Structure formats: structure tokens, C-alpha cells
Amino acid sequence: MVQKGRKIWFDGKFAAWEEAQVHVLSHTLHYGVGVFEGIRCYKTEDGKSAVFRLKEHVDRLFDSAHIVLLEIPFSREEICAAIRKTLRANELTEGYIRPIVFLGAGEMGLFVRTNPVHVAIAVWPWGAYLGEKALRKGIRAKVSSFNRHHVNAAMSKGKVNGYYVNSVLAKWEVVKGGYDEAVLLDTEGYVAEGSGENIFMVRNGTLQTPPLTSVLPGITRDAVITIAQRLDIPVKEARFTRDELYIADEMFFTGTAAEITPVRELDDRKIGAGKPGPVTRQIQAAFFDIIRGKIPLFHHWLDRI
Ligand code: PPE
């Protein structure tokens, strides 16, 4: 259950948490055309707090809206400022930030021109997405029977509400089967991404992740690639198959919510030694140092509140 906060930013004003409601004829509720973001803020070692890569997340929100023809009635700067204000209004120093852009009520049907575009920003505390133990010991993943969207059915550069039916069904399927997280293949059978994460594997010291063709351009994915380059770990963006994951030395998921979650088993096959490997641990340690503000080289990724 989401821990109730005080205020939700709604179309430029604060609403009390309980009063941030929408009409049942909101267009997005019926047809799924809306966009959202998931952002984290962390306590930093100087006792303050910072949002991780705020600008990149807000840019992606605007890109997502552009892709599905939604015009956000605020500037990027206004949304960034609203996010900082919402964190302060809720006195949240560490947690999750959820901006959402959706079409409100008015016309119905598929071709609407006059429905208002609403923007809301909610924040709440959210610990480890798959549990603390997952971060330390790794999780058990399963390839889902659901494919990731074909590039001509959904446009994966956008974080679009309706697309998540696919993720929810994949997650449900594998969790009901006793696993922790789903791996989705693309419609050609190559590894694409998790239900809400990008995927990496390590083989012979090289880090590999699928190209952005049919996956969300993850901001954590980008952070991991940048960190690996700094650590002189070779990185390759190229597609691979599920059996290449079976014989990988290491595997992990990345995402704002999931952070860097090692995978110790896929489809009942141990990955490498069946525990988080050295490259995963090195990248994970660097990532957590960066978000805590311990590495000056990456202070530009932190937006102080
Ligand atoms: N792929 C998908 C499909 C996805 O939803 C996410 C984020 C990512 C990759 C990783 O992107 P990034 O967060 O920029 O590194 N998933 C968000 C939603 C999670 C949820 O359960 O809600 C998130 O991690 O915030």
C-alpha cells in the first residue's frame, strides 16, 4: 500500500492527498493514452536530499507526450520546479516521484480534440522494488509467454500508460508461477526487457544490453553504461537470445524502481555462480555511491532539493 502523503500537485496547485480525484469519464482511464514517469530522490551523505537525473526524466516525459500527441500545458522548468515543491510540501527526503499526464473528461471516442490535458505529481516513500534481499542476493526471473510490443504496435520510446497492460500481465504470470520478475522477448524472439526494467548480462568481462529498438530508453540503463565506461568495463549494445542469458556469467535488471537488481536464476537455470557476480557488484556499489552524492564526478546527476 502506498503510504499516504499530504499533498499532490494537480494542474499547478496543491490538492490534499484524498482530494486528488479524477472523473470516471477521464479519457485516459478508457483508452490508455497518457504518459508518466518514475523518478527517485535519495538522501545524500551531506544530510540533504537530491533527485536523481531529474532533467532526463522530465525530458523523457515530454518526449513520451510528444509521441502520443499530448501537449503538456506546462514548461519543462515548471514541471521540474513542481517536482521539487511537491517533495518539500510532503517533507519527503527519500522516495519515489510519479508525474502523470492524462486526458481528462469531455468528449468520448477515439478522436478527441477538446479534452483537457491534466498533469499530476505524487510522491511517496518506496523502498527496494523487489525487496532488500533482492538487491543483495539476486532474484529468480522467468521468460514470460507475453512478448514485448512490436515496434509498430507500440512506440517504446514513450512511457505510455496503456502499454503497461503488457507488463502487468507478464509480471502476474511469472509471479503466480513462483518467480520474482519477468523477462520479455521481442516479437522476433530476442531478449527485450523486464516488466519494468532494462536487462544487462556480463559474459567474459563484457557488459551487454539489448539496443533501444523495442525497449524503453531507461535512465538507469544509461547510467550503468556511463558507469561501466568510467570503470573501463567494455559495453556492447547488441541483441541476444534467452539461451545467451542462460550461459552468461552475470545478469541484472536496471530501473528507477528496481535500481540495480542482480538476477541469480533464469528459467530455473543458475546464472553464473548463482549469486551476484563481481561486475554486477562493482556497478551496483558505484551506483549507490553516486546516488548518495559520494562521487563528485557524478554530482551533475543530482538535483538538490
Ligand atoms: N523498461 C520498462 C518497461 C520500465 O517500465 C522501466 C521503468 C524501465 C525499463 C527502466 O527505466 P528507468 O527507470 O528510466 O531506468 N519502470 C518504472 C515503473 C515501475 C513501476 O512499477 O511503476 C520505474 O522503474 O520507475
Side-chain angles (χ1 to χ4, degrees), residues 36-40 57 60 96-98 124 126 129 148 159 164 167 193-199 215-222 254-259:
F36 69 104
E37 267 306 316
I39 314 173
R40 271 191 192 270
H57 280 283
R60 190 172 64 187
Y96 194 76
I97 305 157
R98 169 57 53 84
W124 64 85
W126 203 353
Y129 189 53
R148 204 65 184 122
K159 200 166 166 63
Y164 280 80
S167 288
E193 59 188 332
S195 68
E197 305 92 353
N198 291 109
I199 294 175
V215 305
L216 186 77
I219 290 161
T220 322
R221 174 188 183 277
D222 178 77
T254 66
T256 298
E259 300 168 307

Side-chain angles (χ1 to χ4, degrees), residues 183-211:
V183 168
L184 286 95
L185 308 178
D186 65 23
T187 49
E188 289 181 74
Y190 294 91
V191 172
E193 59 188 332
S195 68
E197 305 92 353
N198 291 109
I199 294 175
F200 283 84
M201 70 164 179
V202 181
R203 187 131 200 254
N204 300 326
T206 298
L207 198 57
Q208 192 173 336
T209 191

